Amino acid sequence: DELIQYAAKFGNCHVPTKFKENTALGRWVSTQRAEYKQFCKGEKSSLTAEKIRRLDSIGFAWFMSL
């Protein structure tokens, strides 16, 4: 899994949206963050509680501060 490889290399899951080394991973992470916001609002989302739990378990960063 590319996210796990990123975490192993950088020590965290703080993938920037415009990650130049892997633009697809950056876009995927951005999509997960947007879906999480919808999920939290009770809106339609592709995320499930199980997917959120799995991402949480590897330290996924749901929010990035500037």
Side-chain angles (χ1 to χ4, degrees):
D1 177 57
E2 294 174 44
L3 182 58
I4 292 173
Q5 290 173 0
Y6 178 95
K9 182 175 181 179
F10 294 99
N12 61 55
C13 292
H14 302 171
V15 182
T17 300
K18 294 182 179 180
F19 181 50
K20 292 182 181 183
E21 290 182 38
N22 186 337
T23 56
L25 178 61
R27 283 191 310 271
W28 180 84
V29 165
S30 179
T31 299
Q32 301 316 299
R33 291 177 181 142
E35 291 291 325
Y36 181 73
K37 288 177 186 174
Q38 290 179 293
F39 181 90
C40 289
K41 291 179 185 176
E43 298 173 359
K44 185 177 178 182
S45 171
S46 65
L47 281 180
T48 63
E50 175 60 20
K51 285 181 185 178
I52 291 168
R53 186 197 64 73
R54 287 175 42 214
L55 288 168
D56 280 341
S57 75
I58 60 170
F60 188 81
W62 295 107
F63 304 100
M64 295 293 290
S65 57
L66 298 174

